[in-house]
Structures are given as structure tokens and as C-alpha cells.
């Protein structure tokens, strides 16, 4: 059974400079290499879901510049439907990333067109209503996130929220969220608890289902009815963990939409992200459905 997933969120062009040592204040350093890659958590999740086998749709905005055209092309190449992707006046969102030889990075995000996604446009509710799941993150204005979540709730569509970047969430948004998927840092910011078990219990007072991802330690799942699962990460040699969480959410939502039970869906998501961390890049590292199936058969 094919499932359909819509992302209402951000898309950026990532402008990445690779340097031996990152510059300090007032300093200029010479970089080794420069790359542009479409990114943003919304775009990443849409592409992860499409590669994992979902019919994926993207609602959001790019600017009128060449970056916008390139982001749009990338969606089309990844079979993500762009009927809901608007072109806003001005520039596309950009992320200015400096990566040093230790793999540490510093990032400046300029939201630009993403800042215009502050509510539903004509046709958005129909797109959302035609899907099984709505994936949300927090890189667009909160009014846009809340409007999309409310539309999904009205139409009986599952709402999955990645609370990144982490900020305290208003109650009216939380009321509409079915599944919250923070990483451990976001879970700690939202609850004040560093311990994942305590954070999980606190988050389950806000929403019915929670997955906290724990990097190479896997993830913990909880449901308000008392169900708990711990799923270890697959032991692989990680070279680049960029967008591991976005891959996880895209694959998880696809599996749940296809009717998989939670333990199997979490395992599939762990497999998808284990494959992605073994390759460099964000969307370019995301595995296809066939790769995920093969990976799981071997284990
Ligand atoms: P984020 O990218 O949002 O910070 P995490 O780092 O928690 O998210 O990673 C999400 C998921 O990706 C984890 O639950 C795990 O399944 C997988 N993952 C992350 N890092 C590794 C790793 N080093 N080895 C294997 N799997 C990993």
C-alpha cells in the first residue's frame, strides 16, 4: 500500500564552505572547497519520505532567485510534488555553513522566503486532506505550523512534529500533534530533563506519542497508554550524521502510513538513518526503499 506524506515547512539552499580551521571573530581563513546543496528540514524530510517510497508533497516557499529554481528542480528529480510550493518575492532561504576538518560546523540561517509561510494559502488544506500524514518542523513562522496542524486535525490526517529548532511550544499547537519526534537535545530544551526517560514521560503529558532520537544510541518510543519501546541504532561506521533525524522522520512516517506497527516502523527508520550516516551529504545520502529493505534483510 502506498502512503502519501505532505511536508509543510522550510526549504533552503545550503552554502557550505569546508575549511581546515573555522575563522574566529574578525579573522579571514582560506577555504578548501565550496558546495551548494538544497536543504532545510522540511525539504529534507519530504525527500527522505519520497525516497523511502511515499508519495511526497511539499508546501512551502522559495524565492525568485536561481536558488529557488534549483530547489524546485531537486524536488522534481526526487519525485516530490511541488503544487503547493510557492515562489515568494525576494530571495530563497539560505543556510551559510562552515565545516572544519574535525567535522564541527557553525551555521547562519537566513529564512527569507520561508518567513512568508505564515499561514495556509488557497489549496493547501485540500493538499493536506489528501494525504495520510503531515510532517512539520519549526523553521517557518509558528503561525504557519499551527495553521497546517489545525487543518490536518480537521481532516483526520496524522500530524508529526519535529520540534527543531527547539523552542517552547504553544498549547494550541500541541493539541493538534499526534507524534512528536525530538532529538535528545530538543527533548531536554522542551522539558528541562536531560534524562531521555524523564523527558519522554514529560512530553507524553503534552502529546499522545513521542519518539526521542538518541543519535548512535538509537531511540526511545512512548505512548500515553503506557506502551514503551527502545530501538538500538544499527552499528555502522558513521561519516556524516547531517540530516540523520530528517531521514528517520521521513522513513518512519512512510512506514506508519503503510500500516506498519510501531516496532517495525522504528526499525525501518533506524535502518534508513543508519544508511544515511554512512554517506556524506544530506538528501544525497538518503537511501531508497530498496536499499532499506536489503539492509534489513541482511540483519
Ligand atoms: P538528529 O539528526 O535530529 O540530531 P539523531 O542524531 O538523534 O537525530 O539521529 C536520528 C537517528 O539516526 C537515530 O535514532 C539513529 O537511529 C540514527 N543514527 C544517528 N547517528 C547514528 C550513528 N552514528 N550510527 C547509526 N545510526 C545513527
Amino acid at each position: 500500500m502506498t502512503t502519501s506524506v505532505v511536508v509543510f515547512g522550510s526549504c533552503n539552499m545550503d552554502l557550505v564552505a569546508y575549511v581546515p580551521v573555522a575563522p574566529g571573530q574578525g579573522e579571514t581563513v582560506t577555504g578548501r572547497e565550496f558546495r551548494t546543496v538544497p536543504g532545510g528540514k522540511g525539504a529534507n524530510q519530504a525527500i527522505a519520505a519520497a525516497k523511502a517510497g511515499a508519495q511526497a508533497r511539499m508546501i512551502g516557499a522559495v524565492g525568485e532567485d536561481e536558488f529557488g529554481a534549483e530547489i524546485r528542480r531537486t524536488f522534481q528529480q526526487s519525485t516530490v510534488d511541488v503544487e503547493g510550493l510557492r515562489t515568494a518575492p525576494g530571495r530563497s532561504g539560505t543556510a551559510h555553513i562552515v565545516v572544519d576538518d574535525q567535522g564541527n560546523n557553525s551555521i547562519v540561517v537566513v529564512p527569507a522566503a520561508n518567513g512568508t509561510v505564515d499561514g495556509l494559502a488557497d489549496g493547501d488544506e485540500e493538499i493536506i486532506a489528501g494525504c495520510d500524514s503531515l510532517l512539520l518542523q519549526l523553521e517557518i513562522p509558528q503561525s504557519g505550523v499551527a495553521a497546517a496542524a489545525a487543518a490536518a486535525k480537521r481532516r483526520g490526517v496524522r500530524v508529526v512534529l519535529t520540534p527543531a529548532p527547539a523552542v517552547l511550544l504553544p498549547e494550541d499547537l500541541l493539541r493538534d500533534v499526534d507524534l512528536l519526534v525530538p532529538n535528545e537535545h530538543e527533548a531536554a530544551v522542551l522539558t528541562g530533563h536531560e534524562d531521555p526517560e524523564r523527558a519522554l514521560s514529560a512530553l507524553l503529558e503534552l502529546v499522545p506519542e513521542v519518539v526521542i532520537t538518541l543519535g548512535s544510541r538509537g531511540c526511545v518510543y512512548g505512548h500515553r497508554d503506557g506502551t514503551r519501546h527502545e530501538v538500538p541504532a544499527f552499528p555502522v561506521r558513521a561519516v556524516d550524521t547531517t540530516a540523520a533525524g530528517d531521514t528517520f522522520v521521513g522513513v518512519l512516517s512512510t512506514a506508519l502510513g503503510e500500516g506498519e506497527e510501531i516496532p517495525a516502523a522504528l526499525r525501518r527508520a533506524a535502518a534508513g538513518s543508519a544508511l544515511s550516516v554512512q554517506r556524506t551529504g544530506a538528501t544525497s545520502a538518503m537511501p531508497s526503499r530498496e536499499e532499506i529493505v536489503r539492509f534489513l534483510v541482511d540483519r
Side-chain angles (χ1 to χ4, degrees):
M1 178 193 116
T2 308
T3 187
S4 50
V5 167
V6 56
V7 175
F8 190 99
S10 60
C11 30
N12 291 327
M13 185 58 77
D14 289 355
L15 311 173
V16 194
Y18 295 87
V19 296
V21 179
Q25 195 174 11
E27 204 185 339
T28 300
V29 299
T30 301
R32 208 195 296 293
E33 195 193 339
F34 174 68
R35 282 191 212 159
T36 61
V37 245
K41 293 193 86 63
N44 286 347
Q45 293 188 359
I47 291 172
K51 286 194 165 179
Q55 271 176 2
R57 303 177 137 226
M58 181 75 203
I59 303 176
V62 293
E64 295 167 313
D65 49 8
E66 183 47 38
F67 291 154
E70 196 177 331
I71 293 167
R72 196 176 278 279
R73 273 196 300 278
T74 301
F75 280 132
Q76 285 161 340
Q77 282 158 7
S78 312
T79 70
V80 175
D81 179 279
V82 288
E83 187 194 332
L85 186 69
R86 315 189 257 280
T87 300
R91 304 212 61 121
S92 296
T94 45
H96 305 253
I97 307 175
V98 175
V99 182
D100 72 16
D101 275 355
Q102 262 69 55
N104 300 312
N105 58 33
S106 45
I107 306 178
V108 175
V109 174
V110 184
N114 293 302
T116 67
V117 190
D118 55 3
L120 297 184
D122 281 351
D124 287 355
E125 180 148 348
E126 287 64 37
I127 295 176
I128 292 169
C131 292
D132 301 314
S133 318
L134 168 71
L135 309 192
L136 298 168
Q137 321 75 31
L138 300 174
E139 293 182 340
I140 56 168
Q142 228 171 55
S143 57
V145 177
K153 202 74 198 172
R154 279 196 293 278
R155 303 302 197 110
V157 175
R158 181 203 310 269
V159 178
V160 181
L161 172 64
T162 303
V167 287
L168 288 183
L169 301 167
E171 266 177 33
D172 59 339
L173 169 59
L174 285 168
R175 248 201 321 271
D176 293 333
V177 172
D178 297 303
L179 171 62
L180 189 70
V181 191
N183 66 19
E184 57 187 328
H185 308 291
E186 290 145 8
V189 172
L190 292 179
T191 63
H193 297 303
E194 297 285 338
D195 173 45
E197 287 303 325
R198 292 186 66 190
L200 191 70
S201 299
L203 291 171
L204 286 171
E205 287 175 17
L206 307 173
V207 296
E209 279 184 283
V210 176
V211 179
I212 303 180
T213 63
L214 307 169
S216 60
R217 295 193 308 349
C219 67
V220 287
Y221 165 89
H223 191 289
R224 243 184 215 164
D225 69 7
T227 308
R228 293 282 192 281
H229 295 288
E230 273 183 43
V231 176
F234 288 95
V236 295
R237 205 175 68 82
V239 295
D240 181 355
T241 59
T242 311
D246 294 332
T247 305
F248 186 95
V249 170
V251 178
L252 178 66
S253 306
T254 302
L256 291 174
E258 290 175 0
E260 250 178 23
E261 299 291 334
I262 267 287
L266 291 170
R267 199 171 130 79
R268 196 155 132 196
S273 44
L275 284 162
S276 78
V277 302
Q278 294 177 77
R279 302 191 278 239
T280 56
T283 54
S284 58
M286 289 168 180
S288 67
R289 182 186 192 84
E290 292 68 35
E291 285 177 285
I292 298 172
V293 169
R294 223 178 305 127
F295 182 89
L296 283 170
V297 165
D298 291 344
R299 271 153 190 88

